[in-house]
Amino acid sequence: TVTGYLDDCTCDVETIDALNNYELFPRLNELLQSDYFRYYKVNLKKPCPFWNDNSHCGIRDCAVKPCPSNEVPDGIRSGSYKYSEEANNLAEECEEAERLGAVDGSLSEETQEAVLRWTQHDDSSDSFCEADDIHSPDAEYVDLLLNPERYTGYKGPDAWKIWNSIYEENCFKPQTVKRPLASGRGDDGGHTFYNWLKGVCVEKRAFYRLISGLHASINIHLSARYLLQDTWSEKKWGPNVTEFQQRFDEVITRGEGPRRLKNLYFLYLIELRALSKALPFFERPVFQLYTGNKIHDAEIKNLLLEILHLAKSFPLHFDENSFFAGNKKEAAKLKEEFRLHFKNISKIMDCVGCFKCRLWGKLQTQGLGTALKILFSENLIEKIPESGPSYGFQLTRQEIVALFNAFGRISTSVKELENFRTILRNM
């Protein structure tokens, strides 16, 4: 049922599918395998600033010093037969969540030395803006290819608390308006909620839709890369149709599922627009994706520019000029509110109890934050000189890696949707 035009823009689902699945997705996939984009520096040890975190069976404490997964024999990890049945089930669930949610932090010596050289290079360039505490001794480089976003066993009250806090406290929604499918009394099939959403300004509506789209994207990944089989001899990951239907089927979700998926497409459009707007920054001859391998760096920059030119050629871009367009004083106040709400959501990511989920949560919120920064800095980007430092507008390596990996996640979601459509059609 997810077809046709999207609200608040002139674009339709089919045009996005065609661009993404055949043009952008294959190129993005290749780009994100490269050294520049696969290593992301992140602090996974920051305490939760909003509540005392006692995550489900201590998942927070798992993998503080991650050990390469091949060093822990399967037999040791699954030896929990000595408990009573109830304790055994809980222990196994906990063990599964810890094991699947652990971050593999192993980097080869060669990579560690290379990363050090990259940092020295970045520090000497014209970078004036610093990403979130990457100089903290707790911040470490993580190989994103070793830590794919997929099902981890992190669920239940802890995961619910994170999303509830995001929607209830950071999406401009009054407490009296209940979200669709919210537990407890007052759910009227989303009627009150969507009436409220229709009545708010375009910026607040867009904010909710971006967060809902991000949530949908994450749920697609969990459904598409689900642990289907876990035995001592092999792990098998693949699409779990039941899981997908629980989250998106129109009947099961009482009409919510298709709305969530439309919000995913809306998020796609916003990030695609940001990529097209950032082209002048990346096109400058002085800009390089530095890893020390000159030939490879030049090839990756060419691939990046190819992706950005494709993004720019898209005919039905979202028009962000409708954002913050009214009374100057009111618009500035709203923009600041928008920024602070978003900043708060990125802080909530430090409360996620599963390290792998926290890693991808932090990366994707930073990526979306970078996309919004680009959209709201258009006049600064237009003034960037061809050579010399771009003092007015700057993106750090962190922001660049987050921006493209976050878009890569959404692009993958749109591609996975095509796969689920095919599976469901053949069932």
Side-chain angles (χ1 to χ4, degrees):
T1 56
V2 182
T3 58
Y5 284 96
L6 300 163
D7 306 332
D8 291 326
C9 41
T10 55
C11 186
D12 62 282
V13 164
E14 290 74 14
T15 313
I16 296 174
D17 281 343
L19 171 82
N20 182 70
N21 299 348
Y22 302 105
E23 305 268 358
L24 278 177
F25 175 76
R27 290 173 173 86
L28 266 170
N29 231 6
E30 189 187 336
L31 182 81
L32 299 178
Q33 308 264 335
S34 70
D35 281 356
Y36 187 95
F37 288 99
R38 72 186 278 186
Y39 298 110
Y40 178 65
K41 198 171 191 186
V42 63
N43 181 359
L44 296 174
K45 296 174 187 168
K46 282 173 86 173
C48 170
F50 300 110
W51 55 79
N52 287 335
D53 188 32
N54 55 345
S55 292
H56 169 56
C57 63
I59 296 170
R60 251 193 86 116
D61 300 325
C62 83
V64 173
K65 246 192 166 168
C67 167
S69 49
N70 57 356
E71 286 181 18
V72 185
D74 280 340
I76 294 172
R77 285 194 298 218
S78 55
S80 51
Y81 54 84
K82 59 185 177 285
Y83 300 106
S84 70
E85 192 176 344
E86 190 181 337
N88 189 26
N89 289 342
L90 183 66
E92 280 178 5
E93 198 180 306
C94 166
E95 191 178 279
E96 178 193 52
E98 288 198 10
R99 195 159 40 86
L100 302 178
V103 167
D104 184 340
S106 51
L107 295 180
S108 67
E109 254 178 68
E110 201 184 328
T111 302
Q112 286 172 6
E113 286 168 19
V115 158
L116 201 64
R117 287 200 303 276
W118 303 349
T119 312
Q120 286 162 353
H121 176 271
D122 288 351
D123 288 347
S124 66
S125 67
D126 59 330
S127 157
F128 283 106
C129 111
E130 194 174 302
D132 173 38
D133 74 356
I134 58 166
H135 297 303
S136 152
D138 284 335
E140 295 176 300
Y141 277 96
V142 170
D143 183 343
L144 297 171
L145 299 185
L146 280 184
N147 294 282
E149 185 186 25
R150 60 189 178 195
Y151 173 79
T152 63
Y154 179 62
K155 56 191 172 197
D158 291 325
W160 180 85
K161 191 176 181 180
I162 299 292
W163 285 111
N164 195 54
S165 172
I166 288 171
Y167 284 120
E168 291 298 324
E169 293 157 33
N170 296 284
C171 280
F172 301 97
K173 185 182 75 61
Q175 293 290 312
T176 49
V177 175
K178 290 274 177 251
R179 291 200 326 274
L181 305 180
S183 51
R185 292 206 321 250
D187 179 20
D188 56 1
H191 185 71
T192 309
F193 176 81
Y194 286 108
N195 269 351
W196 164 78
L197 196 64
K198 220 178 188 173
V200 297
C201 62
V202 66
E203 295 85 354
K204 290 181 180 178
R205 190 161 59 247
F207 193 96
Y208 167 78
R209 295 186 67 195
L210 291 175
I211 300 306
S212 168
L214 183 60
H215 194 178
S217 177
I218 290 167
N219 280 334
I220 290 171
H221 294 298
L222 306 190
S223 308
R225 301 193 72 172
Y226 201 86
L227 186 58
L228 301 174
Q229 186 183 329
D230 188 12
T231 61
W232 65 271
S233 59
E234 69 163 336
K235 268 192 181 66
K236 193 178 169 200
W237 303 87
N240 182 329
V241 178
T242 311
E243 191 70 26
F244 179 78
Q245 287 177 311
Q246 289 294 338
R247 298 167 191 272
F248 299 109
D249 180 86
E250 188 171 22
V251 177
I252 295 171
T253 63
R254 290 187 278 171
E256 262 307 280
R259 285 191 182 110
R260 291 169 182 166
L261 293 175
K262 283 200 165 187
N263 290 340
L264 163 74
Y265 281 99
F266 181 74
L267 171 64
Y268 186 98
L269 278 178
I270 292 286
E271 294 205 6
L272 183 72
R273 179 63 162 168
L275 291 184
S276 72
K277 291 276 179 185
L279 181 59
F281 175 82
F282 290 107
E283 248 182 343
R284 296 169 304 143
V286 291
F287 175 79
Q288 51 179 322
L289 296 165
Y290 180 81
T291 68
N293 179 339
K294 260 191 169 170
I295 295 168
H296 183 66
D297 290 352
E299 285 170 0
I300 293 301
K301 182 175 177 182
N302 285 339
L303 179 59
L304 177 112
L305 292 179
E306 197 183 323
I307 289 167
L308 294 178
H309 278 288
L310 264 175
K312 196 176 167 81
S313 70
F314 184 66
L316 298 168
H317 270 298
F318 177 79
D319 180 13
E320 75 287 354
N321 291 326
S322 59
F323 282 176
F324 312 114
N327 173 299
K328 274 217 165 101
K329 201 174 171 186
E330 284 297 308
K333 183 172 168 259
L334 184 60
K335 197 173 189 174
E336 184 58 11
E337 263 185 83
F338 201 94
R339 194 181 68 82
L340 291 174
H341 276 249
F342 196 81
K343 211 172 177 182
N344 225 24
I345 289 173
S346 58
K347 283 184 192 167
I348 291 174
M349 292 302 154
D350 287 316
C351 303
V352 173
C354 149
F355 278 147
K356 200 172 274 179
C357 313
R358 186 183 302 191
L359 162 67
W360 285 102
K362 284 173 86 93
L363 181 139
Q364 289 179 82
T365 46
Q366 187 179 17
L368 177 51
T370 305
L372 294 173
K373 169 180 165 176
I374 292 166
L375 287 182
F376 301 152
S377 310
E378 187 183 5
N379 53 353
L380 293 175
I381 296 171
E382 282 170 355
K383 290 175 189 155
I384 291 176
E386 280 247 336
S387 58
S390 57
Y391 292 121
F393 178 82
Q394 184 59 35
L395 291 175
T396 62
R397 180 189 294 263
Q398 277 296 96
E399 289 173 312
I400 294 166
V401 171
L403 175 70
F404 283 91
N405 272 286
F407 187 63
R409 298 283 73 216
I410 301 155
S411 170
T412 304
S413 292
V414 170
K415 177 73 176 156
E416 290 291 4
L417 267 188
E418 187 60 41
N419 188 29
F420 276 116
R421 275 193 202 108
T422 308
I423 294 170
L424 289 165
R425 214 174 280 134
N426 294 335
M427 274 170 73

